[in-house]
Amino acid sequence: MDAVLDVLLDIFTQPAVIVALIALIGLAVQGKGFSDVLKGTVKTLVGFLVLAAGAGVVVGALNPFGDMFQHAFNVQGVVPNNEAIVAQVLLDYGSAAALIFFFGMIVNIVLAATTRFKYIYLSGHVAFYIAAMFAVILAVAGFEPWAVVLWGSIAQGVYMVVSPALVQPFMRKVTGTDDVALGHTGGLGIALSGVVALATRGKGSSASTEKINFPKGLGFLRDTTVIVALSMAVIYVIVGLFAGAPYIESELSGGQNFIVFLVLQAATFSAGVFIILAGVRVVLAEIVPAFKGISEKLVKNAKPALDVPIVFPFAPNAVLIGFLSSFVGGIVGMLAMIAMGTTVIIPGVVAHFMTGAASGVIGNAVGGRRGAVLGAFANGIAITFLPLLLLPVLGDIGFANSTFSDADYGVFGLILGGVSLAGAQVAVIVTIVLSLVVLYGLTIVLRSRDKAAAAKAATPEAREAEAKADLAVEEGRRAD
């Protein structure tokens, strides 16, 4: 049993493998030839590996920055880092987390097939992380191992359709279609950025981050790769000067001159962003057509929910603006915690880049430059305070020097952990069952609304109005 579980984990915690399998199934059920199926599957796999490689390059360049920041400003506290906290969780709750992850995917598919929430969550690595959090919370609540898996799997499946659904209205603004969704544990913080951008955009329109006008002599700044590299070089050098050359050269650069090291790290960061953008383009070109097979044959109108880099190509300037704005929000939140005397959440650079960049893109689509800045700043505040509030419901894990970083962990973890503290196991079960009732209740309401709208559109008056509108359009074309 353990060997089979290990194999399944090796397969389904790799997002590249999941997406490639989805592409294979989607192309196969469309009746594509062997050559097309093979080409689409391999290109999807390779494209996602390119994307993951780019993310790895970015994370590798950001890690020294985080170390420098802590040393420069002598800040000690809890660092939100999903990989670090999950490594601790798996020591005690590994089997439960794996089973919740696997059965949660099945619940996700069932809910997508039977409700109006047609999202298939394909970001396997973060889905596994949130399964680990559900395992901790339910175990701390005193559930038996089998009950941890049962209720955790249902909670996981509900999460996997709800989180993309909350972001989708803003994703449509970004992509211009309803074909692709966002599947990431930062979803609620990213959705918050859209709400903030909508609330602050005012009566006028704020220009897009992608329409920044540079003087003629600074035309090179129109190139995303160049502006990311130069901006990050300035930021790295400033923080590096505070950290000091001795620390950087002895602890981080292996003796390399600290200025050279910092400039190369900034350039490496920009290279990682470039690789991510290239991988996303390949994945989108392959997965969307392939996913039509899933939509048509298995889950009608299904939408793939993919990782945050999927939005980066739509507004590359907003990626950098969003990251910086979110990180500033994290610093403001950290200073507030120091002033209040609470546990201090140190800004997790990787979390602020991934979710902050996506928040910038979403905010820009809704409210232009102002929306990108304010929306990402709100995300930064959220992913600073939510981890602080989450600590008490994680039991002994909550007293470790690391915790879960993104907004979804905080919100969904607080819901389950909060009702557990308030009403024990019964309250947790009622909450999970109630979430299913709400999903199916909304499905009934929305389907009834759609039927009413379709019936209204089918009336003679509606058809006549539509014909008149078509005629007016045709006459306008002739006049032109």
Side-chain angles (χ1 to χ4, degrees), residues 413-426:
L414 280 171
I415 290 173
L416 272 191
V419 297
S420 170
L421 293 175
Q425 296 180 20
V426 173

Side-chain angles (χ1 to χ4, degrees), residues 36 68 203:
D36 290 335
M68 286 191 306
K203 294 182 179 179

Side-chain angles (χ1 to χ4, degrees), residues 16-29:
V17 175
I18 295 174
V19 175
L21 287 174
I22 291 293
L24 187 153
I25 295 170
L27 293 168
V29 299

Side-chain angles (χ1 to χ4, degrees), residues 224-242:
T224 300
T225 303
V226 174
I227 194 171
V228 169
L230 292 178
S231 301
M232 293 305 294
V234 171
I235 295 167
Y236 271 68
V237 169
I238 290 174
V239 175
L241 290 173
F242 279 99

